[in-house]
Structure formats: C-alpha cells, structure tokens
Amino acid sequence: MKINQLSILALLLIVTSCATNKATYFENLDADQLSGTIDVGDYELRIAPDDMLSITVSSVVPDAAAPYNLPAVSYSEPGKQELTIVPNLQVYTVNRDGDIYFPIVGRIHVEGMTRNELAKYIEDKIRPELKDPFVLVQFMNFKVVVLGEVKIPGQIQVQTERLSILDAIGAAGDLTIYGQRKDVLLIREENGKRIFHRFDLTDKETFESPYFYLKQNDVVYVMPNKAQRNNSNYNQLASYRISVAGTIVSAISVLASLAIALFIR
C-alpha cells in the first residue's frame, strides 16, 4: 500500500511540473495585436548615488580640453625605448548626496539626471572657455542580478542603457521547468526605499508595466513552482532525518565500544 501511495505521489508531482511547464509567455496576446504597436516607453537611466560615471570632454582644440580630463598614463615596455601612452578612464563616483566633483566646474548635483542631460549641462558650463565642446557620459556599473529558477543565475553586466525584464531572463538562459512565469519578483532600491513588484509573464500587461525596463542594481527572482517547493521541503526533511540517524548510530557505536572495553577488563 505504501509503495502505491508513493508511486501516486510521484506521478502527481510529475504531472504538476509538466502542467506548469506548458505555460507560455503572454498567453492573452491576441493574434490581431501581434501586428499592432505598443508604446516603448521611457527606458533612459536616471543617475543615482553610488553610480560610477565615465565623463570625457573633447574639443576641436584638444589641448584646451585637457584640464577637464585626467592626464594620460605613459609607460615603457621592457626592452623598448618608446613610450606607450594610454588615456586615463574618466570615472566619477556619485556620492550619497547625489553629487560629483568635476574639474574646474566644481560640484554638480547629478542625481535624477540622464546621462544626456548631464552631458549637456557640462557642455553649457564649459562652452565659454572651450570651443565646440563635446561631453560623453556613460554608466560604468549598470548591472542586475537574476536569481531563482533560471538556467544561469548570477550577475549580468549591461553594456547598454536599455535592458528589459525579458532581456534579463534571456541572458540568464530562460526559466527552468520549475520556474513560475506568473510569479517573477523584482526588487529595486529607489529614493532610500526598497520596492517590490511582481511580473506575470503570461500577461501582455507586462509590456506596459513601468518596471518593464530594469535599472541599476535591480534584483530579479523567479519563484519556484509548487512541485519544486515540495521537493525542496522533502529533501530538507530527508537530510535532517539522515543527519539525526547518523548521530544516533555514532552514539550507539561509541557506547558499544565502551561496553566492550569494560567487558574485556
């Protein structure tokens, strides 16, 4: 009877897992809508404290732009007389107050700006002293973390400003068969608070979510389905029982050894 019950339980777990795996993305997206359009929305990143920004100033007069950039580094390779000159990476870390200190310009409150807004701000500030300035601002620390029921969990380094929830899941190798498409959790730090948002990836409303595009340091967690949670609980219980049984066996072995030693004496 016990064997039959275990077999039925195993079959139910397999069926549940397979049923969950059959879920697809955006099930309620009608065929007519596939040929329509959805507004892309705003995906530009806003600068936040602890961001690392690369800021490079150039001009039609290169020497005039030099004071706004860190000096280049020169070095010579062993056995060679000529110098190799490498430009310094102009990286500025935004402090907790949302400020950076830029050469000559001084303190700039950058929190809340986009990189293009900051570039224009600096250009306007230095234009009286520099002919036709061009400022390039880039994010150096745009990363997100994807955890849970994905094939390749971990940190994703982003080379562009535009990263959607679908991009992140794709970079993590898609969901495993145990992943809940209807329960994907986003954790975000914003304005000194943590924000929690849940995605239902089977719903077309995901495209219109204000959280569709990810930001710096976002964490995405794909929840396990019921079968995986039950399996995890069972494994923990089994491990606990094995550990307890091992302890009891060790204790009995020690007591038996002591008893034999006393008996021999």
Side-chain angles (χ1 to χ4, degrees):
M1 180 62 69
K2 290 183 178 179
I3 295 176
N4 290 337
Q5 290 177 345
L6 290 174
S7 300
I8 293 172
L9 178 60
L11 180 60
L12 287 174
L13 289 175
I14 293 172
V15 170
T16 303
S17 174
C18 292
T20 303
N21 189 41
K22 288 181 180 179
T24 57
Y25 295 105
F26 317 120
E27 293 175 339
N28 60 352
L29 193 62
D30 298 331
D32 293 339
Q33 292 172 319
L34 292 176
S35 60
T37 59
I38 297 177
D39 186 18
V40 171
D42 182 19
Y43 58 83
E44 277 193 296
L45 297 178
R46 297 281 170 179
I47 300 171
D50 297 324
D51 275 347
M52 298 177 65
L53 306 173
S54 167
I55 306 177
T56 306
V57 178
S58 59
S59 169
V60 293
V61 184
D63 291 341
Y68 299 96
N69 296 309
L70 296 175
V73 177
S74 61
Y75 70 95
S76 59
E77 297 181 14
K80 295 184 179 180
Q81 294 184 350
E82 65 272 13
L83 292 177
T84 301
I85 300 176
V86 180
N88 243 330
L89 194 60
Q90 323 293 315
V91 177
Y92 300 84
T93 301
V94 183
N95 65 22
R96 294 180 63 86
D97 296 325
D99 302 333
I100 62 170
Y101 291 86
F102 194 73
I104 301 177
V105 176
R107 185 175 68 176
I108 305 175
H109 186 71
V110 298
E111 184 177 5
M113 288 185 177
T114 67
R115 64 185 186 89
N116 290 327
E117 289 171 349
L118 176 56
K120 185 177 184 306
Y121 177 87
I122 295 175
E123 287 174 356
D124 291 341
K125 285 289 185 180
I126 65 179
R127 186 168 284 109
E129 306 297 331
L130 191 62
K131 183 179 180 181
D132 296 331
F134 175 75
V135 178
L136 177 63
V137 179
Q138 293 178 303
F139 287 94
M140 302 300 293
N141 65 329
F142 186 11
K143 66 182 186 301
V144 299
V145 176
V146 183
L147 302 173
E149 292 299 331
V150 291
K151 294 176 183 176
I152 314 173
Q155 188 180 100
I156 299 172
Q157 294 289 343
V158 186
Q159 303 300 323
T160 179
E161 238 183 293
R162 178 173 171 170
L163 182 80
S164 72
I165 180 66
L166 301 180
D167 293 325
I169 290 175
D174 204 355
L175 278 63
T176 68
I177 60 173
Y178 302 109
Q180 280 276 38
R181 286 180 172 82
K182 294 186 177 183
D183 196 1
V184 177
L185 177 65
L186 170 68
I187 305 171
R188 173 176 295 172
E189 291 187 9
E190 199 168 60
N191 299 323
K193 297 181 180 180
R194 283 191 176 89
I195 299 173
F196 299 90
H197 176 76
R198 293 184 184 275
F199 289 101
D200 178 355
L201 298 183
T202 68
D203 192 342
K204 64 183 180 182
E205 295 298 323
T206 297
F207 289 110
E208 300 176 7
S209 169
Y211 299 96
F212 180 74
Y213 290 105
L214 303 184
K215 295 185 178 181
Q216 311 96 303
N217 305 312
D218 278 354
V219 177
V220 176
Y221 178 67
V222 179
M223 297 289 184
N225 61 19
K226 186 176 180 180
Q228 179 69 342
R229 290 197 299 271
N230 290 340
N231 186 46
S232 176
N233 292 335
Y234 174 79
N235 288 339
Q236 290 179 4
L237 180 59
S239 298
Y240 173 74
R241 288 177 175 174
I242 292 172
S243 176
V244 171
T247 302
I248 293 173
V249 170
S250 298
I252 292 173
S253 177
V254 171
L255 291 175
S257 298
L258 289 174
I260 292 172
L262 292 173
F263 179 77
I264 292 175
R265 288 184 180 180

